[in-house]
């Protein structure tokens, strides 16, 4: 392999669905190029490439499972996957840096609470969106995440009744998960529209079927109401 005078530096800001997918694709396209790569063993070193993943967390969070994770501890504890548990991220050309991006300059990234900079030739921005708890995850480590999830599950588990405000996809799923897990609880879903899960992608027939399922589960629904 010909070694260049300086490696190509690629930074990926944000490490959840978009960022981790970008990292995996960079790994496959730039590092795992040997003909005998079988998708399991680690790709050989490549001193010409340097890829840095920057994330405020030390692991990937499977947000799509959060509504169930708030109700079922065994499932919820699996939603956080540490980056250190992913063998391909331990490739010598890859580094994972925990930090909060505060500024993106033309050739470097600045991070909070440190003077360190991440220099780059190419940048992938995949910072995503932030949600408030309990669906959003404020924790930056797995230990913090597990404590926060235990606290949220205790609040739900100890409550005699639960009101979910907002009947979009997340609110509807959360109300259904709570009622399915705790059938004895009074669960109410309040939504400003006449049917749940609004939007151009969903037909009225589909939305009515969702409302029927909620009724079958025993979720009380207040549609066409605002809080």
């Amino acid at each position: 392999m010909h070694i260049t005078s300086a490696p190509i530096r690629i930074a990926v800001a944000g490490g959840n669905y978009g960022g981790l997918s970008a990292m995996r694709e960079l790994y496959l396209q730039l590092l795992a190029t040997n003909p005998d790569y079988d998708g399991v063993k680690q790709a050989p070193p490549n001193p010409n490439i340097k890829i840095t993943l920057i994330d405020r967390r030390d692991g990937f969070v499977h947000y799509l499972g959060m509504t169930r994770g708030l109700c079922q501890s065994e499932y919820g504890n699996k939603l956080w996957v540490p980056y250190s548990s992913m063998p391909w991220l331990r490739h010598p050309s890859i580094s994972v840096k925990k930090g909060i991006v505060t500024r993106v300059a033309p050739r470097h990234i600045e991070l909070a609470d440190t003077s360190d900079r991440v220099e780059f030739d190419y940048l992938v921005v995949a910072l995503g969106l932030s949600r408030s708890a309990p669906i959003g995850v404020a924790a930056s480590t797995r230990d913090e995440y597990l404590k926060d999830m235990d606290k949220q599950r205790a609040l739900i588990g100890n409550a005699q009744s639960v009101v979910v405000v907002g009947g979009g996809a997340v609110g509807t799923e959360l109300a259904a998960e709570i009622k399915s897990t705790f059938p004895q609880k009074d669960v109410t879903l309040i939504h400003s529209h006449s049917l749940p899960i609004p939007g151009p992608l969903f037909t009225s027939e589909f939305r009515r079927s969702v409302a029927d399922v909620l009724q079958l589960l025993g979720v009380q629904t207040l549609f066409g109401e605002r809080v």
Side-chain angles (χ1 to χ4, degrees), residues 32-201:
T33 56
N34 48 309
D36 62 340
Y37 179 69
D38 59 3
V40 178
K41 63 184 179 182
Q42 194 176 86
N46 185 338
N48 298 323
I49 301 292
K50 180 182 179 182
I51 306 172
T52 303
L53 172 63
I54 307 162
D55 195 9
R56 68 180 181 86
R57 294 184 288 256
D58 65 9
F60 168 85
V61 180
H62 182 40
Y63 276 109
L64 296 180
M66 195 58 64
T67 53
R68 178 165 296 179
L70 287 168
C71 300
Q72 301 177 19
S73 59
E74 184 177 356
Y75 182 86
N77 293 347
K78 297 177 181 178
L79 297 178
W80 186 294
V81 183
Y83 292 131
S84 59
S85 69
M86 305 178 192
W88 59 277
L89 282 179
R90 296 197 294 268
H91 188 279
S93 292
I94 293 178
S95 60
V96 178
K97 191 171 186 65
K98 184 173 176 289
I100 297 175
V101 175
T102 58
R103 180 172 179 263
V104 177
R107 287 293 180 180
H108 71 267
I109 290 175
E110 297 176 9
L111 305 174
D113 303 322
T114 179
S115 59
D116 293 347
R117 293 180 171 183
V118 178
E119 308 285 341
F120 63 81
D121 301 300
Y122 300 95
L123 172 65
V124 177
V125 178
L127 295 172
L129 299 174
S130 295
R131 291 179 179 267
S132 300
I135 298 300
V137 176
S140 63
T141 68
R142 187 172 186 272
D143 287 343
E144 292 174 357
Y145 164 78
L146 294 177
K147 291 178 182 178
D148 289 347
M149 290 292 283
D150 284 343
K151 179 180 178 181
Q152 295 295 339
R153 278 192 292 264
L155 289 173
I156 294 173
N158 293 331
Q160 291 184 343
S161 60
V162 178
V163 175
V164 178
V165 180
V170 175
T172 299
E173 186 176 347
L174 180 58
E177 289 285 1
I178 294 174
K179 190 62 178 177
S180 297
T181 306
F182 305 101
Q184 76 282 4
K185 291 188 188 300
D186 292 328
V187 179
T188 302
L189 175 65
I190 303 175
H191 187 49
S192 60
H193 294 260
S194 59
L195 289 171
I197 315 183
L201 298 178

Side-chain angles (χ1 to χ4, degrees), residues 191 193-213 223:
H191 187 49
H193 294 260
S194 59
L195 289 171
I197 315 183
L201 298 178
F202 305 105
T203 64
S204 296
E205 181 182 5
F206 169 77
R207 297 170 66 197
R208 279 192 293 270
S209 68
V210 172
D212 291 341
V213 171
F223 295 145

